[in-house]
Amino acid sequence: MVFDLVRGLGAERGEVEANALAVLPIDGDDPAASEIAPEVEVAVADGLALELEFPMVEGSLFSLKTAAQWTFDVDEELGVAQGVQGIVERLLDEDAWHLTLLWVPGVRFDERWSGLAMVGLGAYVGRDVRDEVGLVANVTGFRDLAPAWTLGLEVDTEVFADAGWSTLLMPQVQWESGGTWTVQAGAGALYIDGSVAAGSDLVVPDTEGWFPQVAVRLIVDW
């Protein structure tokens, strides 16, 4: 939910989605502040989807982000799919870029249980940041409760040699209307030990500790 796909794995040409993520701190002293990120996703070919996102922090445009995702394997018999995703983000208030390259495997274990992972490398580069390359790992497990309802647990982690590490734990629930609308909501906590916030568009000052958060994503697709 917080760290999401560009459409689903195996998206078909012509699919279009608009969604917006809001991440709000429960504690007013949370250094990560509040974020809203509207985005548009389009499948331009079978298995190939593009995204344009406008992350905002405290009501101001923070960065411009674009992403591409290619699904190169779908095995419906085994219930397995995999792809790759690349993200390029320009930080507007700094001379800096945030770059991410991920391998994205998904698996359905049975009628109710499924999982998704996004694993790879992330980097901050530019004049106004210390150049850093680190590991990114985002894993979510899902349990289908009913046709319209799904529970999930998302764990997003970034680890950098010098900038520290962080982990976001986000239990969540998803409701699908059966048509156009999907709503995802969760409440969890972000642990920061350094300066990079996992699953976030923010680079925060040197910080350590747990910071509770709530998140909501509203999705419209057609």
Side-chain angles (χ1 to χ4, degrees), residues 8-172:
L9 290 173
E12 297 180 355
R13 179 181 178 180
E15 293 182 8
V16 180
E17 174 184 316
N19 72 74
L21 170 70
V23 180
L24 306 174
I26 296 175
D27 183 350
D29 294 328
D30 189 338
S34 62
E35 302 176 57
I36 298 177
E39 61 186 53
V40 177
E41 303 172 0
V42 180
V44 296
D46 289 349
L48 178 62
L50 305 178
E51 172 188 290
L52 184 61
E53 182 177 339
F54 304 91
M56 294 183 287
V57 175
E58 300 292 350
S60 298
L61 188 63
F62 175 79
S63 65
L64 296 176
K65 182 188 292 187
T66 184
Q69 181 178 290
W70 174 47
T71 304
F72 59 83
D73 178 51
V74 177
D75 191 322
E76 296 183 358
E77 184 176 345
L78 293 177
V80 175
Q82 57 183 326
V84 291
Q85 184 182 126
I87 305 170
V88 177
E89 180 179 15
R90 174 63 177 179
L91 308 183
L92 297 180
D93 292 337
E94 301 173 308
D95 184 3
W97 296 81
H98 185 194
L99 310 175
T100 311
L101 182 61
L102 302 165
W103 170 52
V104 186
V107 59
R108 175 159 289 282
F109 301 104
D110 56 31
E111 293 182 355
R112 293 191 176 273
W113 291 95
S114 60
L116 178 73
M118 307 173 77
V119 182
L121 299 175
Y124 287 91
V125 297
R127 291 183 180 180
D128 294 341
V129 295
R130 179 176 52 198
D131 290 352
E132 280 279 0
V133 176
L135 299 177
V136 179
N138 308 295
V139 179
T140 306
F142 301 99
R143 165 75 172 179
D144 294 338
L145 298 179
W149 293 93
T150 302
L151 292 180
L153 175 60
E154 180 176 353
V155 181
D156 300 338
T157 300
E158 290 184 344
V159 180
F160 290 83
D162 295 322
W165 64 277
S166 59
T167 294
L168 173 68
L169 303 178
M170 184 62 67
Q172 57 198 247

